Amino acid sequence: MGLGKTIFSSRWVAGWAVVLSCAMVQVLPAWAARQRHVELSLWEQAERGRQTLEAMPAGTRTRADYARAMDGFRAVYHEAPGDRRAPDSVNAVAELLAEQGRGLHDAKSLKAAVGQYEFLRTQYPGSSLRVGALLAEGQIYENDLQDAAAARERYALLVKQYPRSELAEEARAGLASLDQGVGRRDQGVASAGAPGSSGSSIAPVAAPVTREGGAGGMLATAGASDGRDAKVSGVGSGAGPGVGSGGQGVVGERQGLRRRGMRRLMLLRVWLWARLRDPTREGRVARQCMWRKRGGGGTWRR
């Protein structure tokens, strides 16, 4: 009897031990995972948030996705500005802002990235990231915001303050690139302004040649200039291949006006010639008017 009770008790204890063992196998992993999650630092959590963002295709990332990743890094230097990871967190926010500006074509985000780099340089002047921040500002101004003056200022400041830095060579290369861009623009302006260049769409028009001969000569010059201006504006003596019936009517009307003007011009010249040779009072008046015009008065006077 005593032996049977002993065997039963042993079996009962063994059964409970098996049950407890199974429960521990199921509970312990979840508890360990919770403990690991709690033990993650703010920097580690921010790094995981950035990895989640980078796992997304670049074309599907939204402003909210970038904001979640940046908030993780902002929590690091907001809660502990003196933490050793604080400068890295500020730099990470600047990089994400620049990436967001390029991906979403947002100039405001690019300017915010420059401001974030400036915050890193001023608040953490002893950080080794300050040199790279200055170079990144120049590159954003040059390549993204197309502000050559601001880019030149950042590159020159880097070369001046950190001449022995490895990044100084990149800054010098940026200055050289800006100088080449200015040279190309100057050459383009010079070639466009040169006479006879392909950049000029209108050929230079020769100055009208005046002839001595009084009012007749001057009127003849005016008539010739009217015809030349018509050719420059695309309406000449004949209609081009793309001119319709309306264009032909305009051309014909313009030619008729020119013919009538030439006839009146010839009549005026004949009248003037006759008056200049006329010994009567009217002839003398005409000759006196012609003399006063040539004498430098600038207007016809009687």
Side-chain angles (χ1 to χ4, degrees):
M1 211 46 200
L3 181 60
K5 289 181 178 181
T6 302
I7 294 172
F8 177 77
S9 298
S10 300
R11 289 178 178 177
W12 184 81
V13 171
W16 275 106
V18 171
V19 172
L20 288 173
S21 299
C22 293
M24 291 296 290
V25 167
Q26 294 178 358
V27 170
L28 280 176
W31 178 81
R34 284 197 300 271
Q35 285 297 107
R36 286 196 301 271
H37 180 71
V38 171
E39 292 174 358
L40 287 177
S41 66
L42 291 174
W43 170 257
E44 291 171 341
Q45 294 177 30
E47 281 287 293
R48 287 196 175 186
R50 186 170 188 174
Q51 291 172 3
T52 303
L53 175 69
E54 292 175 348
M56 301 178 182
T60 63
R61 299 173 190 173
T62 64
R63 194 177 298 272
D65 297 329
Y66 283 105
R68 279 193 297 270
M70 288 187 284
D71 288 343
F73 289 107
R74 288 191 178 107
V76 176
Y77 61 87
H78 285 172
E79 295 189 14
D83 189 88
R84 66 184 184 88
R85 291 292 189 179
D88 299 294
S89 301
V90 177
N91 189 72
V93 172
E95 291 175 348
L96 288 171
L97 282 169
E99 183 180 334
Q100 173 180 284
R102 296 183 183 111
L104 302 180
H105 306 288
D106 183 15
K108 185 177 179 180
S109 297
L110 292 166
K111 293 178 181 178
V114 173
Q116 188 75 5
Y117 282 122
E118 280 292 306
F119 176 78
L120 171 60
R121 294 178 54 236
T122 55
Q123 297 300 316
Y124 300 96
S127 172
S128 60
L129 299 172
R130 68 189 186 281
V131 185
L134 192 54
L135 178 65
E137 289 180 37
Q139 291 172 342
I140 290 174
Y141 275 124
E142 179 186 6
N143 302 321
D144 301 304
L145 297 177
Q146 308 300 321
D147 190 341
R152 185 183 300 277
E153 179 185 355
R154 297 309 193 277
Y155 289 146
L157 184 61
L158 193 155
V159 173
K160 180 181 178 181
Q161 291 186 350
Y162 314 105
R164 298 182 180 180
S165 172
E166 296 179 356
L167 300 179
E169 290 300 324
E170 294 190 39
R172 293 188 184 95
L175 289 171
S177 176
L178 291 173
D179 292 338
Q180 290 176 1
V182 171
R184 286 194 295 269
R185 285 195 297 272
D186 292 343
Q187 290 177 359
V189 171
S191 62
S197 62
S198 59
S200 179
S201 59
I202 300 177
V205 179
V209 179
T210 60
R211 295 178 300 170
E212 291 189 4
M218 288 182 287
L219 289 175
T221 303
S225 66
D226 291 342
R228 183 166 55 248
D229 294 340
K231 291 181 181 179
V232 171
S233 62
V235 182
S237 59
V243 179
S245 59
Q248 293 177 356
V250 172
V251 172
E253 181 180 357
R254 195 177 285 269
Q255 290 178 347
L257 290 173
R258 287 190 61 188
R259 284 193 293 269
R260 287 195 293 271
M262 292 300 294
R263 284 197 297 269
R264 291 176 183 175
L265 176 63
M266 293 300 297
L267 291 175
L268 179 60
R269 293 181 66 181
V270 169
W271 179 84
L272 283 174
W273 180 255
R275 288 300 181 187
L276 289 175
R277 297 177 62 86
D278 189 2
T280 63
R281 180 176 179 276
E282 293 182 358
R284 289 196 302 272
V285 170
R287 285 192 295 274
Q288 189 176 12
C289 290
M290 181 68 69
W291 177 83
R292 288 179 180 177
K293 176 60 180 175
R294 292 180 181 178
T299 56
W300 290 95
R301 298 192 308 272
R302 293 192 58 178

